Amino acid sequence: MEGSRRPEPRRTLPPLLRPHWGRVAVVAAHPDDETVGVGGHLPLLADPLVLTVTDGAPRGSGDIASAGCGSEGEYAALRRRELADAMALAGIPAANLECLGVGDQRAARCLAGLARRMAEWLEARQVGLVLTHPFEMGHPDHDATAFAVHAAVALLVQRGRTPPRIVEFTSYHRSPAGHFAEGVFAPGRPPGEAFPLPEAARALKRRMFEAFRSQKGIVSAFGLESERFRPAPTYDFTAPPHGQGAYYDMFGWGLRSDEWPLLAGRALDELGLGPC
């Protein structure tokens, strides 16, 4: 029929995002990070779990009042509802959503305990593939989440368990010019592979972004054209992952980058781990 659109071809899940065994879990620092990183592919995943590390409510933040909330608890509850609304659009039920409840901007202060909790969570749910953040000094909670996942996998290996595979999605970091950089991995490690999103997937991801009403100014900074993934590299979490500096040093996000190596080193010592 003249003027009608040709239907888009049926999408298939990239092999990188297919588990070799067990379940798929998307482990994100804050509600909305999972949508930024992998929202366009979420409907293709088979019954995925979505684990949010923090409650999304930074202490003393103007975000709470801006969202019309009177307390951290009220703001955290709002962010949970927004996450549930966004995931419902992708076909993920509320029963698949979990949160560790760590305070927003405070995850780096409890790295060892967070890694132990993560290991228990991954083992209990028989997770064979984890999609999560890279370590690239964009947000301290992103880096703490990456640390927790890598350390948890190393702990499972120590216990003789079959570890899940770790695949990274992009977050954001500081560009060589000192600006916000999203949709690509920081230089110095493999660039990963970009998967263009067809029109229907872009439209769905846009609707998912709109579900995060309290984060409208943040999610609008991220593109919809493609999503990029890579197998997670081995990190030395006590050393900077690149030479461009920490994006979060420009803000009061609960941590300075010169504190991170000390916190990571102490946690690795406590856990009995090296690079992971």
Side-chain angles (χ1 to χ4, degrees):
M1 182 182 299
E2 186 177 355
S4 65
R5 290 185 177 182
R6 180 178 299 175
E8 293 181 348
R10 183 176 179 84
R11 296 174 68 205
T12 59
L13 191 64
L16 187 62
L17 304 188
R18 299 174 190 170
H20 299 156
W21 67 276
R23 299 191 70 175
V24 179
V26 181
V27 178
H30 313 102
D32 73 15
D33 287 332
E34 73 300 310
T35 301
V36 167
V38 70
H41 285 82
L42 282 176
L44 302 181
L45 301 176
D47 195 30
L49 299 168
V50 177
L51 177 66
T52 307
V53 170
T54 78
D55 60 9
R59 182 179 299 166
S61 167
D63 296 343
I64 296 174
S66 297
C69 298
S71 67
E72 287 180 41
E74 187 178 345
Y75 186 49
L78 171 62
R79 298 207 64 184
R80 286 195 299 272
R81 291 195 299 272
E82 291 175 346
L83 174 64
D85 290 345
M87 294 302 97
L89 291 171
I92 300 173
N96 288 25
L97 312 180
E98 298 186 58
C99 180
L100 295 184
V102 177
D104 196 310
Q105 300 182 3
R106 285 164 268 179
R109 306 291 180 184
C110 56
L111 291 175
L114 183 56
R116 293 190 184 101
R117 292 178 67 188
M118 188 71 68
E120 296 300 325
W121 189 88
L122 293 172
E123 183 175 10
R125 286 149 186 79
Q126 292 293 290
V127 173
L129 172 63
V130 183
L131 308 180
T132 195
H133 299 273
F135 170 46
E136 53 187 20
M137 300 191 296
H139 191 294
D141 288 340
H142 295 181
D143 291 349
T145 299
F147 177 99
V149 170
H150 282 254
V153 168
L155 290 173
L156 292 175
V157 171
Q158 279 189 346
R159 300 172 190 172
R161 307 294 194 267
T162 302
R165 190 163 47 92
I166 308 174
V167 170
E168 295 178 339
F169 52 75
T170 60
S171 297
Y172 57 83
H173 57 274
R174 185 171 179 169
S175 74
H179 302 144
F180 175 87
E182 62 85 21
V184 294
F185 292 107
R189 295 186 183 274
E193 183 176 358
F195 296 90
L197 296 180
E199 182 180 346
R202 294 196 304 271
L204 172 62
K205 188 167 181 175
R206 186 178 295 108
R207 290 172 60 206
M208 293 168 70
F209 277 165
E210 291 170 354
F212 294 100
R213 292 171 291 279
S214 70
Q215 307 302 303
K216 182 178 180 180
I218 296 173
V219 297
S220 63
F222 294 91
L224 297 166
E225 296 303 311
S226 66
E227 291 173 346
R228 184 177 293 269
F229 306 101
R230 72 180 178 192
T234 297
Y235 291 113
D236 178 359
F237 283 99
T238 65
H242 54 74
Q244 297 167 197
Y247 183 73
Y248 60 78
D249 275 346
M250 297 185 286
F251 309 94
W253 287 351
L255 188 76
R256 294 285 303 176
S257 61
D258 57 0
E259 297 179 85
W260 172 267
L262 301 175
L263 296 172
R266 289 172 189 161
L268 290 170
D269 287 345
E270 182 178 337
L271 296 167
L273 300 175
C276 53

